Amino acid sequence: MKTTVTTSVGGKQITIETGRMAKQADGSVVVSSGNNMVLVTAVSSKTESPLSFFPLTVEYQEKFYATGRIPGGYFKREGKPTTDAVLTARLIDRPIRPSFPEGYQYETQVVATTLSADGSFPIEVLASLGASAALHISDIPFNGPTAAVQVGRVDGQLIANPTAQQLERSDMNIIVAGTKNGLLMVEGETNFITEADALAALKFGHQALMPLLNAQEELREKFGSKAKRKFTPKQIDADFRSQVESFLSDKVKTALRIKEKMERYAAVDAASDEAEEKFVKAITDDKLKAQRAKELEQIVEDLKYKAARSQILDEQTRIDGRDLKTVRPISNEVGILPRAHGSGLFTRGETQVLGTVTLGTGDDEQYVDNLLGMVKRRFLLHYNFPPFSVGEVGRFGGQGRREIGHGNLAERAVKAIIPDQEKFPYTIRVVADVLESNGSSSMGTVCSATLALLDAGVPVKSNVAGIAMGLVKEGDRVAVLTDILGDEDHLGDMDFKVAGNSQGITALQMDIKIDSVSFQVMETALNQAREGRLH
């Protein structure tokens, strides 16, 4: 039965409908505002995956019929996802991923399909809302609802879900996603705004979410949704856990005090191998042996999680021996490539990025055939993350979603300092090759790109830099970390990247793994990020 709820945000009406399209999916909604419509479906397998992680995939499909256009090129049909489609899929994924129950490992797929678009409303906001609504009304375990809103500011006035014309005059373009308790995700670019203005925009965005969250609750009740599937996380055998933890606890704590990343990993692996030899190898039942091996991996991760966090909260000391605010040693080199127009090598601790600049004419501008028409781009930033940068073997091919997302964040941060075309009529391509990675290669990209632009003689408006902030929170105890390591990203509760100059912020991105963070914590993180950025 078709069921509809309607609400409004920023003076624009938004409708969520279910019961008419794609009814065999576990959850299906059509979200619309004016001439903009997105169909979003959610399906979750009823058989648990053998993988050791949550296999969630989010797909975003741009249909050119949505704008009354035929795709360009020879094939005349939609091909691989565009960069904009990949970025939208990431925006949908990031707020819903932490909203599934801990330990849920059933293959789940969310698909958003643009049915109609006229450019007057941010389609990614409708898609993000639809993903949460489809999950919320389904029987899939989901600790939602979540929602997203785009925040702009024109003539000093904050606006929710601005039009394309308003965005052209806005000094910020920030997507904010969260729950009633707080924010889950932030992604955006700004024109050198202050930390106070950024915080005000985030608070405004969170308040603007409330009607969308209430509408989803109303839809679930009105539609008569089924009860959620019963889900109980698998419990590791208590005796096995106790024995392994007793054997490994001190070894893991000792390993986590090794400052060098690869040595630290080797020490943890060696301890894990000892435990496997002692507790797993002798098991003769193949099924039980495989189960215990998997459980051992989880126990090691749990011990690392507890040890790193307690060290930070109890001793105010981090894995590599730093206090909470110290930035790792930085070294810079420029002009190291003889043929590139500009090059810069930025090294921060064990993160190293080689930035290069190539200058071209107007003929080198990129033409992009996107949903709303053909656009030209004269500034390009491409980010590459080869497997050797983390000491691994991997296949080379096209760019993954992570590379596209990190490159887009860095591009937004640097774009603000690119000179106007009238002053510098060249096409500019920056390539960032990550050579080593242990914490925030995207912010390292911002720094290496700035070095390379300066080396190429590009008359940039200023220098920009970026830094990643982390968080460890246990109850009322909170530690905000400057310049996080990869382990602190993995074992912590927040990854908050902020880029800009001494005047203000040009780009920011935040993801969290807990229910929400307070605005007080965000204010601390923004101010600490400023200190790190200036350093």
Side-chain angles (χ1 to χ4, degrees), residues 239-258:
D239 288 340
F240 180 70
R241 179 184 279 278
S242 176
Q243 291 175 47
V244 173
E245 285 185 346
S246 178
F247 178 77
L248 279 180
S249 183
D250 289 342
K251 295 178 188 292
V252 170
K253 285 179 184 176
T254 302
L256 286 187
R257 291 182 184 271
I258 298 172

Side-chain angles (χ1 to χ4, degrees), residues 467-481:
I467 198 156
M469 310 300 296
L471 173 73
V472 174
K473 183 177 184 296
E474 296 284 353
D476 295 331
R477 297 199 300 163
V478 173
V480 176
L481 313 177

